[in-house]
Amino acid sequence: MARYRRKKLPKDPVETQVQRLSHDGRGIAQIEGKTIFISGALPNETVLFRYTNKQKNFDEGVTLEVLQPASNRVEPPCEHFGVCGGCSLQHLSCADQIQLKQDMLLEQFEHLGNVTPETVMPPLQANSLGYRRKARLGVRYVPKKQSVLVGFREQQSSFIADLNQCKVLHPSVGEKITALREILTQLTVRDKIAQIEVAVGDEQTALVFRNLVPLSAEDENVLCHFGETHNLLIYLQPKGIDSVYPLYPHDLPLESLSYTLPNEGVSFQFAAHDFTQVNTEINRMMVQQAMDWLQPQAEDEVLDLFCGLGNFTLPLAKRAKQVIGVEGSESLVQRAKANAQAQGIFNTEYYVANLAEEPLEHIWMQRDYDKVLLDPPRSGAMEIIKALDFKQTQRIVYVSCNPSTLARDAGILVNEKGFKLVQAGVMDMFPHTAHVESMALFER
């Protein structure tokens, strides 16, 4: 079979009219009948762009100059926008960003699931800057500059963006990028730090340094001093995720961070490398909305699938007779159990199970549940939805981070399992990005 050979890229900038936005926030134009995706461009704009890639079926480019701006174009709040790949929509107003995400969700429902929600709910929105409490920052030492770069990757590139601050990261880290770069440059192993895992709780911020070689005592002292100066918890990760250990303070437990859901009266201890929601404000609103939609009652048996460390399980348990939590990660299940016990919540049971495997045959699947909550990863929940009969289930709340798999699974629930899609709406968990978080309610 003949292989497609990549064409040489035109050197001169090209002018074009942008027609619409792609799902990842790039402008879409047509040139000589071929689709081109242009970063930094909006619909109804005339732009001057440079080609960055040519494929058989589409091309890619980046905006060099906006010759005729769209009416909804705004000034990006971050000086690094356009280079840093952490955000893709800062040039679009927040109102238009959320409208784009809602339109995307409804389009996926129609085209992939052949379903339409009876009601489109108002979006959940909070602060658009300083919201991000979980992140993985790349690190790269540049010998020519004798300095270290810390940040997200550049747009459509494997290079680390040259940042001195980040407006979307929580200020405890976002305002310390320059300080991080300076302190890493001082290390003797500055070229052997691969990444930094960022995790921010309600009261503390932790950094996990992925060190490819052991640190000297001098290097450890440098990082400890940095942690003390900036009130940061410091961890090292010499190998896999199970190798994480505390450096400063040295007697830190792994579960050193916490967050609360004030309206629910519950709190959660977690480790810096645990999965938690990146946006605390939206998470609190999301949990409240899930409770309102699911309406767990005192006599209900509730199934919480992909339960993680109990973000929904504990609020459900305070309302229902019993909650069964199922999660693929053994460590998160242990965390969920510990969080429940610490707060005197004893009407929960937990199981470790890979919910994407087939066939799915587990003891907890033989029980009947009045209500079900799903919060799957991007791959969705098709396997477990097909495996359960839901014969007693009256309501299902589905929390999604991928509108395409939500739409696919909604089609199964509606067209095969006998539910109706009552309502759905988006949640702006990741402002300034094309990431779409949403919630849907299904009723028998």
Side-chain angles (χ1 to χ4, degrees), residues 340-403:
Q341 292 171 1
Q343 291 162 93
I345 296 175
F346 301 111
N347 59 332
T348 58
E349 289 181 27
Y350 299 93
Y351 295 88
V352 179
N354 178 0
L355 297 175
E357 68 181 357
E358 292 181 297
L360 279 162
E361 297 176 353
H362 300 285
I363 188 170
W364 50 267
M365 294 176 62
Q366 310 308 315
R367 300 167 62 168
D368 294 326
Y369 299 97
D370 303 289
K371 311 283 172 62
V372 175
L373 188 141
L374 302 105
D375 184 15
R378 290 188 60 80
S379 54
M382 180 175 66
E383 293 82 5
I384 186 62
I385 287 174
K386 285 187 172 183
L388 291 172
D389 59 24
F390 300 107
K391 62 183 179 181
Q392 187 174 307
T393 304
Q394 296 302 310
R395 285 183 172 227
I396 297 174
V397 165
Y398 191 132
V399 180
S400 168
C401 60
N402 185 348

Side-chain angles (χ1 to χ4, degrees), residues 67-86:
L67 303 176
Q68 184 177 339
S71 59
N72 55 358
R73 174 175 283 273
V74 298
E75 186 68 24
C78 180
E79 63 184 288
H80 302 298
F81 179 74
V83 176
C84 175

